[in-house]
Amino acid sequence: AQTVTQSQPEMSVQEAETVTLSCTYDTSESDYYLFWYKQPPSRQMILVIRQEAYKQQNATENRFSVNFQKAAKSFSLKISDSQLGDAAMYFCAYNSDSSNTGKLIFGQGTTLQVKP
Amino acid sequence: DAMVIQNPRYQVTQFGKPVTLSCSQTLNHNVMYWYQQKSSQAPKLLFHYYDKDFNNEADTPDNFQSRRPNTSFCFLDIRSPGLGDAAMYLCATSREPLTKGNQPQHFGDGTRLSIL
């Protein structure tokens, strides 16, 4: 069974600085998808960025980028120029390409605090 | 505009009293998911509908049921809520399961369920 691990329960960053959130996963599959979701307090979970395992190039979305290391099964999220609105819980998630359900397996989450 | 709408945002019920949570979507997506998220934990998939086909996760308690009368609506029924069922319940949709074109999931705001 696949598992996703986020080893940092809490992180903090100064506004305008850069922070990296860690995620590792375990799978025996070669094709899969990885995601980072953001869940602000009392607000809906939204997709931040996604990565297809067959793509070697790291995904980037504006200030958000990932460092995808397939051999190491690592998928970290880098937030550049952090803003107060980035404060939220961040979940790393995995989806198996062989799954017919679209089931997401989430990590435990990392709460990010942004200090002004 | 909200695309995945969950009602109510907060629900309080008594121990053992059946409760129904509602989810509607304006996206015309084929797949609807229900996740349970306990405090400070990762969301856990309970079940999902792919069109009219119901797919239950193996470890979802029998106490949890779901209905999808049409494309737009999906309900989560908890027949006899216990104290351990207090959680945030998240509804999500996707056009197709992730394996088909890598469709991301869109989440609602969630319903926070409390058990007295």
Side-chain angles (χ1 to χ4, degrees), chain A residues 10-29:
Chain A
E10 295 180 356
M11 292 282 286
S12 67
V13 63
Q14 207 70 33
E15 195 176 7
E17 297 294 308
T18 296
V19 64
T20 298
L21 308 184
S22 301
C23 174
T24 59
Y25 57 93
D26 188 27
T27 185
S28 58
E29 299 179 324

PDB file of all heavy atoms in Angstrom, chain A residues 10-29:
ATOM      1  N   GLU A  10       4.845  21.431  11.743  1.00  0.00           N
ATOM      2  CA  GLU A  10       4.702  22.888  11.701  1.00  0.00           C
ATOM      3  C   GLU A  10       5.978  23.497  11.122  1.00  0.00           C
ATOM      4  O   GLU A  10       7.081  23.024  11.367  1.00  0.00           O
ATOM      5  CB  GLU A  10       4.464  23.449  13.103  1.00  0.00           C
ATOM      6  CG  GLU A  10       3.165  23.004  13.740  1.00  0.00           C
ATOM      7  CD  GLU A  10       2.971  23.583  15.123  1.00  0.00           C
ATOM      8  OE1 GLU A  10       3.895  24.276  15.601  1.00  0.00           O
ATOM      9  OE2 GLU A  10       1.920  23.364  15.737  1.00  0.00           O
ATOM     10  N   MET A  11       5.755  24.573  10.358  1.00  0.00           N
ATOM     11  CA  MET A  11       6.862  25.342   9.827  1.00  0.00           C
ATOM     12  C   MET A  11       6.492  26.812   9.926  1.00  0.00           C
ATOM     13  O   MET A  11       5.313  27.165   9.897  1.00  0.00           O
ATOM     14  CB  MET A  11       7.133  24.989   8.360  1.00  0.00           C
ATOM     15  CG  MET A  11       7.667  23.599   8.136  1.00  0.00           C
ATOM     16  SD  MET A  11       9.416  23.482   8.520  1.00  0.00           S
ATOM     17  CE  MET A  11      10.130  24.339   7.102  1.00  0.00           C
ATOM     18  N   SER A  12       7.507  27.654  10.007  1.00  0.00           N
ATOM     19  CA  SER A  12       7.243  29.086   9.975  1.00  0.00           C
ATOM     20  C   SER A  12       8.253  29.748   9.044  1.00  0.00           C
ATOM     21  O   SER A  12       9.361  29.245   8.844  1.00  0.00           O
ATOM     22  CB  SER A  12       7.311  29.697  11.372  1.00  0.00           C
ATOM     23  OG  SER A  12       8.630  29.631  11.867  1.00  0.00           O
ATOM     24  N   VAL A  13       7.819  30.854   8.474  1.00  0.00           N
ATOM     25  CA  VAL A  13       8.669  31.596   7.538  1.00  0.00           C
ATOM     26  C   VAL A  13       8.383  33.079   7.688  1.00  0.00           C
ATOM     27  O   VAL A  13       7.253  33.471   8.021  1.00  0.00           O
ATOM     28  CB  VAL A  13       8.408  31.124   6.092  1.00  0.00           C
ATOM     29  CG1 VAL A  13       6.981  31.413   5.671  1.00  0.00           C
ATOM     30  CG2 VAL A  13       9.401  31.750   5.117  1.00  0.00           C
ATOM     31  N   GLN A  14       9.380  33.870   7.478  1.00  0.00           N
ATOM     32  CA  GLN A  14       9.205  35.313   7.502  1.00  0.00           C
ATOM     33  C   GLN A  14       8.625  35.748   6.159  1.00  0.00           C
ATOM     34  O   GLN A  14       8.970  35.195   5.102  1.00  0.00           O
ATOM     35  CB  GLN A  14      10.565  35.984   7.712  1.00  0.00           C
ATOM     36  CG  GLN A  14      10.525  37.326   8.382  1.00  0.00           C
ATOM     37  CD  GLN A  14      10.141  37.263   9.844  1.00  0.00           C
ATOM     38  OE1 GLN A  14      10.461  36.305  10.545  1.00  0.00           O
ATOM     39  NE2 GLN A  14       9.445  38.284  10.296  1.00  0.00           N
ATOM     40  N   GLU A  15       7.738  36.699   6.211  1.00  0.00           N
ATOM     41  CA  GLU A  15       7.158  37.245   4.983  1.00  0.00           C
ATOM     42  C   GLU A  15       8.269  37.626   4.013  1.00  0.00           C
ATOM     43  O   GLU A  15       9.305  38.187   4.414  1.00  0.00           O
ATOM     44  CB  GLU A  15       6.308  38.465   5.336  1.00  0.00           C
ATOM     45  CG  GLU A  15       5.372  38.929   4.242  1.00  0.00           C
ATOM     46  CD  GLU A  15       4.489  40.078   4.698  1.00  0.00           C
ATOM     47  OE1 GLU A  15       4.688  40.595   5.823  1.00  0.00           O
ATOM     48  OE2 GLU A  15       3.598  40.468   3.936  1.00  0.00           O
ATOM     49  N   ALA A  16       8.047  37.294   2.737  1.00  0.00           N
ATOM     50  CA  ALA A  16       8.975  37.570   1.635  1.00  0.00           C
ATOM     51  C   ALA A  16      10.140  36.573   1.551  1.00  0.00           C
ATOM     52  O   ALA A  16      10.908  36.611   0.571  1.00  0.00           O
ATOM     53  CB  ALA A  16       9.528  38.973   1.680  1.00  0.00           C
ATOM     54  N   GLU A  17      10.261  35.700   2.537  1.00  0.00           N
ATOM     55  CA  GLU A  17      11.320  34.699   2.492  1.00  0.00           C
ATOM     56  C   GLU A  17      10.824  33.436   1.795  1.00  0.00           C
ATOM     57  O   GLU A  17       9.662  33.339   1.392  1.00  0.00           O
ATOM     58  CB  GLU A  17      11.793  34.374   3.910  1.00  0.00           C
ATOM     59  CG  GLU A  17      12.411  35.554   4.648  1.00  0.00           C
ATOM     60  CD  GLU A  17      13.704  36.017   4.010  1.00  0.00           C
ATOM     61  OE1 GLU A  17      14.597  35.177   3.789  1.00  0.00           O
ATOM     62  OE2 GLU A  17      13.817  37.213   3.712  1.00  0.00           O
ATOM     63  N   THR A  18      11.727  32.476   1.683  1.00  0.00           N
ATOM     64  CA  THR A  18      11.421  31.211   1.011  1.00  0.00           C
ATOM     65  C   THR A  18      11.371  30.084   2.022  1.00  0.00           C
ATOM     66  O   THR A  18      12.158  30.066   2.980  1.00  0.00           O
ATOM     67  CB  THR A  18      12.496  30.908  -0.052  1.00  0.00           C
ATOM     68  OG1 THR A  18      12.443  31.915  -1.072  1.00  0.00           O
ATOM     69  CG2 THR A  18      12.282  29.540  -0.685  1.00  0.00           C
ATOM     70  N   VAL A  19      10.453  29.177   1.821  1.00  0.00           N
ATOM     71  CA  VAL A  19      10.323  28.031   2.722  1.00  0.00           C
ATOM     72  C   VAL A  19      10.107  26.777   1.891  1.00  0.00           C
ATOM     73  O   VAL A  19       9.521  26.822   0.799  1.00  0.00           O
ATOM     74  CB  VAL A  19       9.146  28.237   3.705  1.00  0.00           C
ATOM     75  CG1 VAL A  19       7.810  28.292   2.971  1.00  0.00           C
ATOM     76  CG2 VAL A  19       9.128  27.165   4.776  1.00  0.00           C
ATOM     77  N   THR A  20      10.601  25.660   2.398  1.00  0.00           N
ATOM     78  CA  THR A  20      10.440  24.377   1.718  1.00  0.00           C
ATOM     79  C   THR A  20       9.757  23.384   2.639  1.00  0.00           C
ATOM     80  O   THR A  20      10.204  23.175   3.771  1.00  0.00           O
ATOM     81  CB  THR A  20      11.798  23.819   1.265  1.00  0.00           C
ATOM     82  OG1 THR A  20      12.398  24.727   0.330  1.00  0.00           O
ATOM     83  CG2 THR A  20      11.630  22.465   0.585  1.00  0.00           C
ATOM     84  N   LEU A  21       8.692  22.798   2.144  1.00  0.00           N
ATOM     85  CA  LEU A  21       7.949  21.778   2.892  1.00  0.00           C
ATOM     86  C   LEU A  21       8.298  20.401   2.327  1.00  0.00           C
ATOM     87  O   LEU A  21       8.302  20.219   1.104  1.00  0.00           O
ATOM     88  CB  LEU A  21       6.444  22.022   2.779  1.00  0.00           C
ATOM     89  CG  LEU A  21       5.944  23.423   3.131  1.00  0.00           C
ATOM     90  CD1 LEU A  21       4.419  23.469   3.055  1.00  0.00           C
ATOM     91  CD2 LEU A  21       6.445  23.872   4.473  1.00  0.00           C
ATOM     92  N   SER A  22       8.549  19.460   3.204  1.00  0.00           N
ATOM     93  CA  SER A  22       9.021  18.138   2.780  1.00  0.00           C
ATOM     94  C   SER A  22       7.887  17.135   2.660  1.00  0.00           C
ATOM     95  O   SER A  22       6.892  17.213   3.385  1.00  0.00           O
ATOM     96  CB  SER A  22      10.036  17.607   3.785  1.00  0.00           C
ATOM     97  OG  SER A  22      11.130  18.480   3.900  1.00  0.00           O
ATOM     98  N   CYS A  23       8.077  16.218   1.751  1.00  0.00           N
ATOM     99  CA  CYS A  23       7.124  15.121   1.576  1.00  0.00           C
ATOM    100  C   CYS A  23       7.874  13.929   1.002  1.00  0.00           C
ATOM    101  O   CYS A  23       8.638  14.070   0.036  1.00  0.00           O
ATOM    102  CB  CYS A  23       5.993  15.533   0.636  1.00  0.00           C
ATOM    103  SG  CYS A  23       4.849  14.188   0.211  1.00  0.00           S
ATOM    104  N   THR A  24       7.669  12.782   1.593  1.00  0.00           N
ATOM    105  CA  THR A  24       8.186  11.544   1.015  1.00  0.00           C
ATOM    106  C   THR A  24       7.036  10.572   0.889  1.00  0.00           C
ATOM    107  O   THR A  24       6.023  10.684   1.569  1.00  0.00           O
ATOM    108  CB  THR A  24       9.305  10.929   1.875  1.00  0.00           C
ATOM    109  OG1 THR A  24       8.793  10.670   3.190  1.00  0.00           O
ATOM    110  CG2 THR A  24      10.508  11.846   1.975  1.00  0.00           C
ATOM    111  N   TYR A  25       7.204   9.625   0.004  1.00  0.00           N
ATOM    112  CA  TYR A  25       6.125   8.669  -0.228  1.00  0.00           C
ATOM    113  C   TYR A  25       6.730   7.311  -0.509  1.00  0.00           C
ATOM    114  O   TYR A  25       7.927   7.188  -0.822  1.00  0.00           O
ATOM    115  CB  TYR A  25       5.236   9.138  -1.385  1.00  0.00           C
ATOM    116  CG  TYR A  25       5.984   9.346  -2.673  1.00  0.00           C
ATOM    117  CD1 TYR A  25       6.080   8.343  -3.621  1.00  0.00           C
ATOM    118  CD2 TYR A  25       6.618  10.569  -2.925  1.00  0.00           C
ATOM    119  CE1 TYR A  25       6.795   8.532  -4.793  1.00  0.00           C
ATOM    120  CE2 TYR A  25       7.337  10.766  -4.100  1.00  0.00           C
ATOM    121  CZ  TYR A  25       7.422   9.747  -5.024  1.00  0.00           C
ATOM    122  OH  TYR A  25       8.138   9.941  -6.173  1.00  0.00           O
ATOM    123  N   ASP A  26       5.902   6.324  -0.373  1.00  0.00           N
ATOM    124  CA  ASP A  26       6.360   4.968  -0.622  1.00  0.00           C
ATOM    125  C   ASP A  26       5.407   4.318  -1.610  1.00  0.00           C
ATOM    126  O   ASP A  26       4.194   4.318  -1.400  1.00  0.00           O
ATOM    127  CB  ASP A  26       6.403   4.168   0.684  1.00  0.00           C
ATOM    128  CG  ASP A  26       7.053   2.813   0.490  1.00  0.00           C
ATOM    129  OD1 ASP A  26       7.895   2.688  -0.420  1.00  0.00           O
ATOM    130  OD2 ASP A  26       6.739   1.880   1.252  1.00  0.00           O
ATOM    131  N   THR A  27       5.958   3.780  -2.670  1.00  0.00           N
ATOM    132  CA  THR A  27       5.150   3.104  -3.672  1.00  0.00           C
ATOM    133  C   THR A  27       6.021   2.166  -4.470  1.00  0.00           C
ATOM    134  O   THR A  27       7.238   2.375  -4.584  1.00  0.00           O
ATOM    135  CB  THR A  27       4.469   4.123  -4.605  1.00  0.00           C
ATOM    136  OG1 THR A  27       3.604   3.436  -5.507  1.00  0.00           O
ATOM    137  CG2 THR A  27       5.496   4.914  -5.396  1.00  0.00           C
ATOM    138  N   SER A  28       5.397   1.159  -5.023  1.00  0.00           N
ATOM    139  CA  SER A  28       6.109   0.249  -5.914  1.00  0.00           C
ATOM    140  C   SER A  28       5.747   0.524  -7.368  1.00  0.00           C
ATOM    141  O   SER A  28       6.254  -0.138  -8.269  1.00  0.00           O
ATOM    142  CB  SER A  28       5.768  -1.205  -5.559  1.00  0.00           C
ATOM    143  OG  SER A  28       4.377  -1.416  -5.651  1.00  0.00           O
ATOM    144  N   GLU A  29       4.915   1.512  -7.585  1.00  0.00           N
ATOM    145  CA  GLU A  29       4.456   1.823  -8.930  1.00  0.00           C
ATOM    146  C   GLU A  29       5.421   2.795  -9.605  1.00  0.00           C
ATOM    147  O   GLU A  29       6.168   3.518  -8.941  1.00  0.00           O
ATOM    148  CB  GLU A  29       3.045   2.409  -8.879  1.00  0.00           C
ATOM    149  CG  GLU A  29       2.037   1.433  -8.288  1.00  0.00           C
ATOM    150  CD  GLU A  29       0.649   2.001  -8.218  1.00  0.00           C
ATOM    151  OE1 GLU A  29       0.525   3.205  -7.962  1.00  0.00           O
ATOM    152  OE2 GLU A  29      -0.308   1.231  -8.412  1.00  0.00           O
TER     153      GLU A  29
END
